[in-house]
């Protein structure tokens, strides 16, 4: 019997967790029973009470949805040595690697090529690797950076493999100063070469032009002329390194991976379908150059951090028992620029370790758009059948006689025109799906609904590392986009409960909906952070008395749920302060990013706005970076999100002070026990909001909350006091 190429390990302690979940469910039911059976008579208290009931019903329902992935999470372990020892040793399949970029200003070309160089340097036969960059900005600056990278690769790849260095992104490698693996002379030589290259690239980006003496070095530069813009240009395909050409070798004579630049055609009158359109163009263009049976895609800021990731992924696809069922292998998003205490809650540790592992036990994780390996056939619409067998020897092995690389480039260009997909199934049954800002999620859901499974691989050494948001504005923008896209899926024909009905199991559908329901979470959260505090100030009790036995289920549900949340965070690598920062940021995201995501989704459904895609910037100015490293929150501008944050913070501070003054003056001397829960809730919100008070009143740096935001927030707080709770 053949030995498995991977094993599945279930997380321990599930019986204890299930006991915990049952007790939380019981306490939640008691809370809801209390609310439903003690509704006050007519008046303001009745309306506020019913609002609390509605919010708690939502929290209870959403908590049930989140349990779908926590009931039985799993972890996968691969055996690369068995892969090499088996019959696949010398006949491993070809792999096409797709990297997407969209804007040379938000995604600097020097950053992009570090990712490109890292994925070119895998511990994998170079003749079986082809790396493609889709440049949706259509920028000659990005092409110039790619040309520079093609020259530097001739020295970088043999250096990497000679000393087996990790990571193989030169930016990451030299920033960590690994000098102990090679001679100082050689290390300095390669580093100087890299620094000189990046200086030339950065200089070109700043000046916005390529010197004429450089343009003459490659025919591809003449694809650009003064009339070309990022939204209006012809298709451009340039093979910078032809791995099938005898000249495509490194400084030691070894074969180099194929390296291709593509900028699909853009015209103002044709919708380009954002990243999904770029990915589909890459699928077609690569089909006439390499046509490998496995496709890996990664974002331009997500470099390879593990040299053996391809072999790890193949352990799943090539496994004798389960491999034929697996459509794609998803790796987590990890960031190398997180602060020690996770200032903006962007580490995604719990999502990566718990929720994605839980999805893996239900049929497979969702496709997150980066760090993923697909079978080419499933991206082209292939349905799963029990007798399915993959031809791993597929792909273009060599050049057809008398076919020049120029002819291949011209053929590839015809596949990257903006009219090619008209009256075809591309974007629907073939390729990534169109019509949603998070096209990757609905593409993965469609793959699951065609009968395929997916697996989640989270090795000890992360497969990919990238750059997470380093300012509050970047964080809120990113989560607005994620929540808006996921909510639009939930309200569309691709709603997992509808589209997945009868095709995937109910718990798997619920797992997808965890993120689809992020946006509507904003409304009950807003209610809970505003109404109890206002009711406190106006003398309206909304919770059981602190001396009543009915307060017990409220306290139990709140304390136990948060204690388990703390345990999850600590066990996944967060610090105590990191967990606290994460809790603050979930509150902030819910009342800002998720709120605006919900509003924009509804506006689009009503035809009041169109779908857009905003690239999250990968750069920040020096003083912002310094504050980020010191874990000081960044504001600095006047935005609606900051007004909401400041208003909620000030409202709770005023309500807490007002409530305490009522106690000290004896106004509620016989009802103190009725208002203690609201005082505690309001006090916790004030403690949570401490960084916002500092940014409004104590800080003097450029990252503080602007005075105009503070003033507007005071106005809204005063308005709240004039408006009845109902």
């Amino acid at each position: 019997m053949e030995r498995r190429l991977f094993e599945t390990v279930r997380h321990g302690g599930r019986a204890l967790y299930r006991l915990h979940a049952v007790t939380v469910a019981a306490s939640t039911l008691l809370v809801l029973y209390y609310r439903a059976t003690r509704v006050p008579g007519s008046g303001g208290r009745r309306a506020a009470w019913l609002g609390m009931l509605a919010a708690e019903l939502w929290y209870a329902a959403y908590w049930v949805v989140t349990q779908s992935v926590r009931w039985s999470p799993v972890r996968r372990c691969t055996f690369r040595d068995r892969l090499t020892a088996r019959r696949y040793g010398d006949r491993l399949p070809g792999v096409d690697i797709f990297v997407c970029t969209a804007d040379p200003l938000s995604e600097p070309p020097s950053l992009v090529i570090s990712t490109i160089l890292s994925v070119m340097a895998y511990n994998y036969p170079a003749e079986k690797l082809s790396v493609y960059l889709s440049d949706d900005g259509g920028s000659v600056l990005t092409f110039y950076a790619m040309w520079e990278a093609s020259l530097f690769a001739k020295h970088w790849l043999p250096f990497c493999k000679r000393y087996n260095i990790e990571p193989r992104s030169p930016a990451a490698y030299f920033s960590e100063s690994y000098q102990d693996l090679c001679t100082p002379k050689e290390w300095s030589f390669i580093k100087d070469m890299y620094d000189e290259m990046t200086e030339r690239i950065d200089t070109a980006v700043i000046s916005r032009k390529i010197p004429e003496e450089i343009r003459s070095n490659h025919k591809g530069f003449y694809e650009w002329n003064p009339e070309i813009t990022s939204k209006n240009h012809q298709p451009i395909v340039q093979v910078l390194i032809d791995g099938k050409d005898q000249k495509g070798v490194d400084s030691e004579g070894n074969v180099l991976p194929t390296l291709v630049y593509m900028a699909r055609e853009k015209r103002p009158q044709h919708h380009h379908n954002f990243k999904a359109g770029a990915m589909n163009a890459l699928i077609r263009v690569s089909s006439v150059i390499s046509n490998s049976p496995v496709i890996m895609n990664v974002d331009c800021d997500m470099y390879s951090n593990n040299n053996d990731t391809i072999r790890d992924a193949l352990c799943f696809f090539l496994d004798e028992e389960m491999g034929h069922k697996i459509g794609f292998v998803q790796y987590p998003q990890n960031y190398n620029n997180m602060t020690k205490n996770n200032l903006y809650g962007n580490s995604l540790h719990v999502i990566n370790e718990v929720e994605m592992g839980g999805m893996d036990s239900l049929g497979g994780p969702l496709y997150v758009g980066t760090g993923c390996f697909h079978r080419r056939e499933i991206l082209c619409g292939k349905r799963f059948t029990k007798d399915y067998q993959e031809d791993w020897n597929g792909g273009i092995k060599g050049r057809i006689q008398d076919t020049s690389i120029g002819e291949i480039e011209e053929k590839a260009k015809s596949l990257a025109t903006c009219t090619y997909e008209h009256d075809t199934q591309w974007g629907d049954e073939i390729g990534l799906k169109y019509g949603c800002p998070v096209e990757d999620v609905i593409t993965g859901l469609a793959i699951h609904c065609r009968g395929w499974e997916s697996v989640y691989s989270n090795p000890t050494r992360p497969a990919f590392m990238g750059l997470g948001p380093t300012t509050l504005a970047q964080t809120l923008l990113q989560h607005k986009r994620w929540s808006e896209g996921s909510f639009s899926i939930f309200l569309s024909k691709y709603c997992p409960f509808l589209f997945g009905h009868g095709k995937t199991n109910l718990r798997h559908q619920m797992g997808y909906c965890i993120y689809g329901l992020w946006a509507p979470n904003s409304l009950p959260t807003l209610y809970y952070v505003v109404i109890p505090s206002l009711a406190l100030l106006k003398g309206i009790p909304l919770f059981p008395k602190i001396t009543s036995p009915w307060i017990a289920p409220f306290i139990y549900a709140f304390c136990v749920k948060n204690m388990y949340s703390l345990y999850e965070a600590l066990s996944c690598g967060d610090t105590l302060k990191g967990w606290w920062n994460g809790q603050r940021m979930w509150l902030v995201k819910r009342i800002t990013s998720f709120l605006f995501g919900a509003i924009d989704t509804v506006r689009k459904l009503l035809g009041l706005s169109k779908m857009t895609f905003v690239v999250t910037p990968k750069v920040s100015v020096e003083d912002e970076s310094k504050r980020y490293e010191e874990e000081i929150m960044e504001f600095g501008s006047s935005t609606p999100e900051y007004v909401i944050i400041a208003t909620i913070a000030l409202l709770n501070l005023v309500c807490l002070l007002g409530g305490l003054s009522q106690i000290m003056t004896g106004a509620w001397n016989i009802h103190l026990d009725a208002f203690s829960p609201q005082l505690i809730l309001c006090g916790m919100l004030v403690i949570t909001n401490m960084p916002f008070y500092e940014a409004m009143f104590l800080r003097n740096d450029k990252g503080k909350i602007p005075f105009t935001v503070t003033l507007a927030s005071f106005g809204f707080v005063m308005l709240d006091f004039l408006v009845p709770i109902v």
Side-chain angles (χ1 to χ4, degrees), residues 157-377:
L157 268 62
F159 174 75
C160 291
K161 295 180 179 180
R162 184 160 57 249
Y163 298 107
N164 196 31
I165 67 168
E166 284 186 320
R168 294 188 177 178
S169 156
Y173 175 75
F174 289 122
S175 69
E176 297 174 16
S177 301
Y178 294 111
Q179 299 185 44
D180 56 333
L181 299 175
C182 60
T183 63
K185 181 179 179 180
E186 188 169 9
W187 187 90
S188 297
F189 173 74
I190 297 295
K191 186 178 187 302
D192 289 345
M193 186 181 294
Y194 172 70
D195 288 342
E196 291 167 4
M197 176 186 69
T198 54
E199 184 178 354
R200 290 193 297 271
I201 293 170
D202 293 341
T203 300
V205 171
I206 293 170
S207 65
R208 301 289 185 89
K209 63 180 181 180
I210 309 299
E212 193 58 40
E213 61 270 20
I214 292 180
R215 283 180 172 271
S216 62
N217 287 323
H218 196 281
K219 62 182 176 61
F221 288 107
Y222 296 103
E223 293 277 3
W224 280 267
N225 60 60
E227 285 73 40
I228 281 183
T229 68
S230 62
K231 297 180 180 179
N232 190 11
H233 61 80
Q234 78 281 10
I236 302 171
V237 178
Q238 291 292 317
V239 179
L240 291 160
I241 299 177
D242 181 5
K244 299 177 178 64
D245 189 332
Q246 293 182 349
K247 297 179 181 178
V249 295
D250 62 27
S251 60
E252 297 180 354
N254 300 311
V255 174
L256 285 168
T258 296
L259 181 63
V260 181
Y261 171 92
M262 181 202 79
R264 60 194 170 117
E265 183 181 21
K266 292 278 191 72
R267 301 298 178 194
Q269 65 271 30
H270 294 284
H271 187 45
H272 57 82
N273 294 302
F274 310 111
K275 183 180 174 182
M279 284 286 293
N280 287 342
L282 283 172
I283 293 171
R284 296 191 298 272
V285 166
S286 63
S287 70
V288 298
I289 298 175
S290 52
N291 200 36
S292 299
V294 176
I295 291 174
M296 179 193 113
N297 82 282
V298 65
D299 286 345
C300 66
D301 64 326
M302 195 70 63
Y303 64 84
S304 166
N305 187 60
N306 187 327
N307 304 336
D308 293 310
T309 297
I310 293 180
R311 294 178 183 270
D312 274 336
L314 291 179
C315 286
F316 298 107
F317 288 128
L318 300 179
D319 183 73
E320 295 285 349
E321 184 176 328
M322 292 289 296
H324 68 290
K325 300 179 182 179
I326 297 171
F328 63 89
V329 179
Q330 179 66 61
Y331 286 83
Q333 287 182 280
N334 291 292
Y335 301 124
N336 67 348
N337 63 334
M338 294 294 97
T339 61
K340 178 183 177 181
N341 295 308
N342 194 18
L343 178 61
Y344 295 119
N346 288 319
S347 67
L348 307 179
H349 285 154
V350 172
I351 291 177
N352 288 342
E353 296 286 340
V354 179
E355 294 182 2
M356 294 293 275
M359 288 280 285
D360 198 4
S361 70
L362 305 175
L366 43 75
Y367 169 39
V368 301
T370 183
C372 190
F373 290 79
H374 285 93
R375 296 175 187 267
R376 178 181 287 269
E377 286 191 339

Side-chain angles (χ1 to χ4, degrees), residues 374-436:
H374 285 93
R375 296 175 187 267
R376 178 181 287 269
E377 286 191 339
I378 69 158
L379 286 178
C380 294
K382 180 75 174 181
R383 291 184 176 274
F384 173 73
T385 57
K386 292 183 179 180
D387 59 350
Y388 171 77
Q389 293 292 328
E390 176 76 68
D391 178 16
W392 294 115
N393 293 317
I396 298 173
K397 305 300 182 184
R399 292 274 167 263
I400 299 174
Q401 191 173 5
D402 299 328
T403 302
S404 68
I405 196 65
E407 292 174 308
I408 293 172
E409 288 174 345
E410 289 303 313
K411 184 176 181 181
K413 289 178 185 178
S414 70
L415 302 176
T417 62
C418 54
T419 59
Y420 181 86
E421 296 179 351
H422 289 183
D423 300 320
T424 71
Q425 292 295 309
W426 282 96
D428 185 13
E429 294 297 322
I430 305 175
L432 274 71
K433 289 186 174 292
Y434 296 155
C436 177

Side-chain angles (χ1 to χ4, degrees), residues 479-555:
H479 281 81
K480 176 186 177 294
R481 193 175 71 228
W482 287 351
S483 62
E484 179 183 341
S486 298
F487 190 39
S488 66
I489 292 174
F490 186 80
L491 297 180
S492 73
K493 66 178 181 179
Y494 294 111
C495 174
F497 290 130
L498 301 176
F499 190 69
H501 180 68
K503 302 169 187 174
T504 63
N505 64 70
L506 179 60
R507 285 175 58 200
H508 201 197
Q509 297 164 25
M510 292 168 67
Y512 267 98
C513 288
I514 290 174
Y515 313 104
L517 296 175
W518 269 359
N521 262 316
S522 58
L523 299 179
T525 302
L526 264 176
Y527 194 90
Y528 231 88
V529 299
V530 171
I531 298 303
S533 299
L534 280 176
L536 169 65
L537 195 64
K538 297 183 179 184
I540 302 175
L542 295 178
F543 292 92
K545 294 180 179 180
I546 198 70
T547 56
S548 167
W550 280 106
I551 197 64
F554 284 86
I555 294 175

Side-chain angles (χ1 to χ4, degrees), residues 128-180:
K128 296 179 182 291
L129 280 182
S130 299
V131 179
Y132 297 79
L133 175 72
S134 167
D135 177 19
D136 255 11
S139 172
V140 68
L141 302 173
T142 304
F143 177 75
Y144 167 58
M146 283 283 285
W147 176 74
E148 286 276 14
S150 70
L151 302 179
F152 180 66
K154 296 181 179 182
H155 302 276
W156 176 247
L157 268 62
F159 174 75
C160 291
K161 295 180 179 180
R162 184 160 57 249
Y163 298 107
N164 196 31
I165 67 168
E166 284 186 320
R168 294 188 177 178
S169 156
Y173 175 75
F174 289 122
S175 69
E176 297 174 16
S177 301
Y178 294 111
Q179 299 185 44
D180 56 333

